[in-house]
Amino acid sequence: MYENSLEFARQCDKEDPLSEFRDKFHIPKDNKGEPLIYLCGNSLGLQPKTTSEYIKKELDDWASLGVEGHTEAEHPWLPYHEFLTEKMAKIVGAKPSEVVMMNTLTTNLHLMMVSFYQPTSSRYKIVVESDAFPSDKYAVESQLKFHGFDPKDGLILWTPREGEELCRFEDLEQIMNEQGNEIALLMIGNTNYYSGQNFPLKKIAELGHSHGSLVGFDLAHGAGNIFPDLHNTGADFAVWCSYKYLNSGPGSLAGCFVHERHANNTELNRFTGWWGHNKQTRFNMRHEFDPLPGAEGWQLSNPPILSMAAILASLDVFDEAGFQNLREKSEKLTGYLEFLVDDIGDDRIKIITPRNPEERGCQLSIQVRSANKLLHTRLTEAGVISDWREPDVVRVAPAPLYNSYEDVFHFAERLKNILANE
Ligand SMILES: *Cc1c(COP(=O)(O)O)cnc(C)c1O
């Protein structure tokens, strides 16, 4: 189905119904003005060309309206986060009432654990996947300590088997069968930032719940990449950032999902602030805290509008492209990348990301045995922006909104040349 030639790659781009979207982004260039092969959308997504207009609009409204902008701006700032909710909810497969954009990712993870990690002396353990992103691991460990538990005992790792790179669902089942009644929370990252493995979220949520544990997901590498179908998974909560696949700018605000069955749950602990309070009486500051129903009730502060404007700009691009179309292209594009990398035919190369498109997003993690960081440097010198992970893994993530089949072709050519000239 695929062919290893520039003509073939260009033909795919020509036939790609989403090819025009590349032109809606700023593509970084080398010092000769040539576009770089940017495969790092898993780390920082590129900037839509409309983002500066969206931000400038808010700056202008601030300049001309001052405080009145809260109610008089074209997109009034008081309810500004609501303009994001529906579009964001569509991308992660949630009901709008289950989603809110607020804070940053690790902050939201902590806020969610305040509510959904309420350990008892017999049920206090937390399961994470073994190669969890460091921030998530620190957050989980500190929650255990905060409640007086030792992470050495309380943190359970779902680990690949000896000699394997991917986590097997049956091993998680075994953990739950052995220790399920001591496990308070399954906190699983998806899609794993290292291996690119997309875990079966619904099965994990059902497994956790069947043992009486709560279940949360970190979708930092999932949101805007795979379709997590959050509501239907039944997960209790999820968090994600907006600056990776969601192209909303460095450090931009994060997303948070709280399943609707918890919308009015007053049994949960909650850290609170005025933005989570009933909108009608928020400014009547002498009331007892009266939480908004749904995810909005977890908000703390009035949010940074400039950052939200960048999110709105990006979500409008996603909305125009349609997430299903993006996912379809993504499977083909990453399939082409896989074909080309296999075709290099170098037996030092091993793709550790699952081969089945349903078990991965757009990222491929390419292990090059006996390579070191010099390989990454050579790729960078050759105009490829990729991610390096010690000891020997290059991570490349063709994003269907702005990467082309030609990008993927050039990446594989350059990798092949570098390996041949070693
Ligand atoms: C990118 C990423 C983070 C980063 O957290 P911030 O709070 O946004 O700095 C955390 N966890 C995972 C899984 C990530 O991929």
Side-chain angles (χ1 to χ4, degrees):
M1 166 166 100
Y2 294 123
E3 285 172 34
N4 189 349
S5 74
L6 184 55
E7 294 69 50
F8 179 82
R10 287 187 171 153
Q11 189 59 33
C12 289
D13 284 324
K14 226 189 231 163
E15 289 166 10
D16 168 15
L18 296 174
S19 60
E20 74 203 70
F21 280 85
R22 178 177 173 85
D23 199 39
K24 295 180 192 288
F25 287 83
H26 293 289
I27 311 287
K29 299 191 168 70
D30 66 15
N31 49 22
K32 296 194 205 77
E34 289 297 314
L36 294 166
I37 308 299
Y38 192 86
L39 297 173
C40 225
N42 55 342
S43 189
L44 185 71
L46 292 181
Q47 183 186 135
K49 288 179 178 166
T50 48
T51 300
S52 54
E53 289 161 35
Y54 279 65
I55 292 179
K56 179 143 190 318
K57 178 82 184 94
E58 302 316 318
L59 286 172
D60 289 348
D61 283 345
W62 176 27
S64 61
L65 297 166
V67 71
E68 302 288 313
H70 283 300
T71 50
E72 303 305 316
E74 190 179 319
H75 287 109
W77 304 327
L78 274 185
Y80 198 98
H81 70 274
E82 296 171 24
F83 306 132
L84 313 177
T85 303
E86 207 157 307
K87 291 170 181 146
M88 190 69 256
K90 247 199 260 178
I91 293 175
V92 295
K95 299 188 176 184
S97 64
E98 294 173 316
V99 168
V100 67
M101 300 304 287
M102 62 180 188
N103 313 309
T104 48
L105 172 55
T106 308
T107 310
N108 287 347
L109 182 52
H110 275 298
L111 292 178
M112 289 294 100
M113 285 195 283
V114 165
S115 295
F116 296 102
Y117 176 57
Q118 298 194 14
T120 64
S121 58
S122 60
R123 190 189 277 277
Y124 59 92
K125 295 182 178 176
I126 305 179
V127 183
V128 300
E129 84 272 24
S130 74
D131 225 319
F133 195 86
S135 191
D136 300 36
K137 187 149 173 285
Y138 302 149
V140 166
E141 283 171 349
S142 66
Q143 288 280 338
L144 281 158
K145 283 189 204 160
F146 180 72
H147 288 281
F149 299 102
D150 181 353
K152 280 202 202 78
D153 165 48
L155 185 66
I156 307 294
L157 298 179
W158 174 28
T159 315
R161 293 181 187 178
E162 182 85 22
E164 297 186 6
E165 304 284 345
L166 304 174
C167 294
R168 293 175 182 240
F169 181 72
E170 58 264 36
D171 293 345
L172 185 60
E173 283 180 314
Q174 191 177 345
I175 292 173
M176 296 310 289
N177 285 337
E178 285 168 6
Q179 311 178 57
N181 57 358
E182 296 173 8
I183 290 170
L185 177 66
L186 271 76
M187 175 58 235
I188 307 292
N190 192 58
T191 314
N192 181 275
Y193 81 104
Y194 169 61
S195 66
Q197 184 177 13
N198 175 21
F199 299 119
L201 301 183
K202 191 172 164 66
K203 277 169 75 178
I204 291 173
E206 286 169 358
L207 174 67
H209 289 157
S210 72
H211 287 271
S213 315
L214 295 181
V215 180
F217 295 121
D218 183 337
L219 296 169
H221 283 253
N225 179 19
I226 49 106
F227 182 63
D229 202 8
L230 273 177
H231 175 80
N232 288 327
T233 64
D236 297 284
F237 71 89
V239 293
W240 60 94
C241 57
S242 68
Y243 50 81
K244 291 172 178 165
Y245 294 107
L246 291 173
N247 308 325
S248 300
S252 198
L253 287 163
C256 191
F257 162 90
V258 178
H259 195 278
E260 72 176 348
R261 70 177 165 276
H262 299 299
N264 296 299
N265 186 344
T266 50
E267 316 248 292
L268 299 169
N269 283 327
R270 191 187 301 212
F271 283 174
T272 54
W274 70 326
W275 233 248
H277 182 93
N278 182 339
K279 290 168 198 176
Q280 270 68 52
T281 56
R282 182 186 284 153
F283 293 94
N284 193 344
M285 306 206 186
R286 286 171 192 84
H287 281 273
E288 294 257 322
F289 183 70
D290 174 15
L292 287 166
E296 283 188 319
W298 272 264
Q299 295 174 105
L300 299 180
S301 300
N302 82 99
I305 299 299
L306 301 182
S307 185
M308 287 207 161
I311 299 177
L312 187 57
S314 173
L315 293 180
D316 281 345
V317 177
F318 270 90
D319 216 37
E320 200 187 331
F323 192 73
Q324 270 324 101
N325 302 330
L326 282 166
R327 182 62 187 147
E328 254 170 57
K329 172 177 174 183
S330 179
E331 290 190 14
K332 281 190 209 155
L333 189 61
T334 294
Y336 189 45
L337 173 64
E338 180 181 41
F339 166 80
L340 293 172
V341 170
D342 285 342
D343 207 43
I344 294 175
D346 189 316
D347 58 15
R348 286 171 295 176
I349 292 182
K350 180 179 161 199
I351 296 173
I352 61 182
T353 308
R355 294 279 173 174
N356 175 0
E358 281 170 23
E359 292 172 45
R360 68 186 183 202
C362 72
Q363 173 183 322
L364 289 188
S365 304
I366 304 168
Q367 186 172 39
V368 183
R369 236 178 312 116
S370 78
N372 56 42
K373 190 144 192 222
L374 193 60
L375 173 61
H376 182 248
T377 309
R378 293 270 180 271
L379 279 167
T380 309
E381 286 164 358
V384 174
I385 307 301
S386 62
D387 242 355
W388 176 256
R389 165 80 198 206
E390 294 293 342
D392 55 5
V393 175
V394 180
R395 294 178 297 158
V396 281
L401 265 176
Y402 50 77
N403 282 122
S404 60
Y405 292 85
E406 191 173 335
D407 278 343
V408 161
F409 177 81
H410 289 309
F411 163 74
E413 280 292 290
R414 292 174 198 185
L415 176 62
K416 182 165 118 190
N417 287 338
I418 291 165
L419 292 175
N421 290 327
E422 267 184 346

